[in-house]
Amino acid sequence: MGITNSKLQAIDIPPVQIHDIETSPEKRTRTLKHLIRANHVNHSIAFRRIDNSNDLPHILGSAYLLGAESEHLHDIYDEKTSELDSWEDSPGEVSKHDWRDYLGDRRYQRAFIDFFEDELVRFGYDWKAVLAEYLLNGHEPLINGLICGLGHPLIHLAYAYELDNSVLAIEALGLCAINNDFLHKYLDNPSSTPAPNPSRSVLAIFARVRKDPRFNNLSIHPDSSKIEVLFEKHEDAILEHWNSWEIENLGKQFEESMDVAILLLTATHKISYPAYDIFLARLLTTCHAVRILLPIVPAEWQIPLVMEWWLLALTVYIAQLRPEINESYIKDYDLRGRSWKWVDDKAIKGQYSKDAQFVTAIRAIKESSALWGEKDGWYLKAAVKFADGFAGWI
């Protein structure tokens, strides 16, 4: 398995542009800063009644980075905040000495935010030092649980770095803490047992998973909300496929991973019925988050971070009943003259411009094109096809 192979080379991709929203005098940048702060003050980072998290910063950040003006950012905030929970007091405080005792307990979300904000003061307001202390150090470091909560902490952390924002950094730590679940153990103690039939292609492994009879008759309906049950029944089979990814060129193989994440979202529906799966969209936005973080994290954490995403990707793919990937849907798509400008307008001015997963997915595809080139229009075709055919999530 790649995570334990000492011969592997660290990835070398350029960092994304960092946007200093704290000091910029531009109106729309100041608007973004104020709305992120208002959300932080007024709304909890996770819902109390359902197992989901506050993704308002994700759509605000993506819309801003796609060029949205202040008015649209305010419109997003006004609409999305009507769905969010206000803060409630936690049953108690957490401290430097006992914070690990409360990992995974969503009732302590307020207490964790208070604790990490106190730590920010202790570290002289150096939020990156606070992240390094709690993400990378100690037994079972929190970085190994970024995919818990369906990757929401991972996405939040990426926005913290991209927008150079301490508020989002503290929230990301809080999300890591309250979403911490069983998945981290596979990264804390990775298996060194070689898997049968290793492959360097994630696309090939997905094809193999799709044909694996051990996953037949899982459920009538796709359901990534029951991942723990999936592991209880099929842990060995999942880990076998996870371990089978043989990484020799992390840069090229991560590029393929991003392309496959795009295919999972845009090319797994019935040809006559372009319905899009919100859980598969999460695989794309988490992969994009990994792309942001890879040039930032220490080299020794790059491969484990990619493998962490790979575990989430496999698990969600299986839970969503292993849809067939049809590469021709993108390759043969007719753009009919539409451009990235058309895509941007759909994301920030169209009918679904206030849908967080829609907007963040579009941006992830666009940023992939900026990093790896157009590939004969492949990324643009994927983005146009998705934006044109989207009519809500399944």
Side-chain angles (χ1 to χ4, degrees):
M1 172 177 147
I3 200 169
T4 59
N5 190 337
S6 61
K7 296 181 180 180
L8 294 175
Q9 299 297 312
I11 194 169
D12 182 21
I13 59 175
V16 297
Q17 180 183 353
I18 303 301
H19 300 263
D20 182 5
I21 68 171
E22 286 297 319
T23 60
S24 173
E26 185 184 23
K27 180 181 178 181
R28 67 187 201 96
T29 308
R30 288 186 285 111
T31 298
L32 176 64
K33 176 181 67 174
H34 296 323
L35 294 178
I36 287 174
R37 168 58 66 177
N39 179 59
H40 179 74
V41 170
N42 294 305
H43 305 110
S44 59
I45 56 175
F47 293 92
R48 292 186 293 273
R49 295 172 299 279
I50 58 175
D51 188 14
N52 203 352
S53 301
N54 181 342
D55 61 4
L56 178 56
H58 306 175
I59 184 172
L60 287 173
S62 278
Y64 166 83
L65 294 167
L66 287 170
E69 297 296 339
S70 295
E71 292 76 9
H72 183 57
L73 297 178
H74 277 291
D75 289 344
I76 291 171
Y77 184 88
D78 291 342
E79 180 166 317
K80 297 290 289 183
T81 51
S82 66
E83 307 166 358
L84 301 176
D85 288 343
S86 58
W87 284 109
E88 282 190 358
D89 291 339
S90 297
E93 296 183 347
V94 301
S95 70
K96 180 72 174 173
H97 306 292
D98 66 5
W99 66 275
R100 285 189 173 274
D101 296 341
Y102 303 100
L103 290 177
D105 192 335
R106 296 166 75 87
R107 298 175 303 158
Y108 283 83
Q109 58 176 309
R110 176 77 259 182
F112 272 113
I113 292 296
D114 292 341
F115 169 66
F116 290 126
E117 286 183 337
D118 290 344
E119 289 296 277
L120 183 62
V121 176
R122 187 170 73 88
F123 278 83
Y125 295 94
D126 185 347
W127 60 268
K128 294 176 183 177
V130 179
L131 288 179
E133 173 69 17
Y134 286 95
L135 285 176
L136 305 180
N137 292 332
H139 178 60
E140 299 180 354
L142 289 182
I143 192 172
N144 286 341
L146 286 173
I147 60 169
C148 300
L150 287 173
H152 197 100
L154 174 60
I155 298 169
H156 220 84
L157 181 64
Y159 279 105
Y161 277 105
E162 190 169 17
L163 299 175
D164 196 17
N165 187 261
S166 63
V167 169
L168 297 182
I170 296 302
E171 290 178 351
L173 283 175
L175 287 165
C176 283
I178 65 170
N179 284 294
N180 193 266
D181 63 25
F182 73 100
L183 285 173
H184 72 83
K185 68 182 180 182
Y186 301 111
L187 284 300
D188 293 332
N189 301 290
S191 170
S192 59
T193 303
N197 303 315
S199 173
R200 299 172 191 170
S201 168
V202 295
L203 188 61
I205 298 173
F206 275 125
R208 188 183 302 164
V209 171
R210 189 167 190 274
K211 296 177 181 178
D212 191 332
R214 291 173 291 181
F215 301 120
N216 291 349
N217 304 314
L218 284 179
S219 173
I220 298 175
H221 304 291
D223 191 359
S224 283
S225 67
K226 294 185 172 65
I227 283 178
E228 189 166 5
V229 175
L230 179 63
F231 270 86
E232 289 172 359
K233 296 180 178 179
H234 299 284
E235 179 184 59
D236 289 344
I238 295 170
L239 296 183
E240 176 186 311
H241 289 294
W242 184 47
N243 287 326
S244 71
W245 192 26
E246 184 178 64
I247 303 178
E248 292 197 353
N249 184 331
L250 183 58
K252 291 299 295 182
Q253 289 173 269
F254 180 68
E255 178 182 350
E256 186 208 16
S257 298
M258 180 64 79
D259 291 355
V260 171
I262 293 170
L263 285 169
L264 286 170
L265 173 61
T266 62
T268 53
H269 58 79
K270 296 178 181 178
I271 191 166
S272 59
Y273 181 58
Y276 297 103
D277 187 323
I278 194 169
F279 290 104
L280 298 181
R282 184 60 63 90
L283 298 185
L284 172 56
T285 52
T286 49
C287 194
H288 177 61
V290 171
R291 178 269 176 272
I292 293 170
L293 294 174
L294 280 175
I296 295 169
V297 299
E300 64 268 25
W301 288 103
Q302 291 179 334
I303 292 167
L305 184 61
V306 173
M307 293 301 298
E308 188 173 352
W309 173 83
W310 174 227
L311 181 61
L312 178 68
L314 270 177
T315 304
V316 169
Y317 179 71
I318 295 167
Q320 297 308 104
L321 304 185
R322 301 172 294 163
E324 181 180 5
I325 299 172
N326 299 283
E327 295 181 78
S328 63
Y329 285 9
I330 307 303
K331 180 181 178 182
D332 299 337
Y333 188 76
D334 184 0
L335 287 171
R336 302 202 307 273
R338 289 168 291 185
S339 65
W340 283 113
K341 175 63 168 58
W342 182 91
V343 174
D344 290 348
D345 285 346
K346 277 284 190 177
I348 61 177
K349 298 178 182 178
Q351 179 181 358
Y352 299 99
S353 62
K354 299 184 184 70
D355 185 300
Q357 295 295 328
F358 174 75
V359 176
T360 55
I362 284 178
R363 181 168 174 264
I365 299 172
K366 184 178 182 182
E367 290 300 316
S368 298
S369 173
L371 176 61
W372 287 300
E374 284 290 350
K375 297 183 179 177
D376 295 323
W378 190 86
Y379 292 113
L380 179 58
K381 288 179 180 181
V384 170
K385 178 184 178 299
F386 173 61
D388 189 39
F390 184 80
W393 299 104
I394 58 170

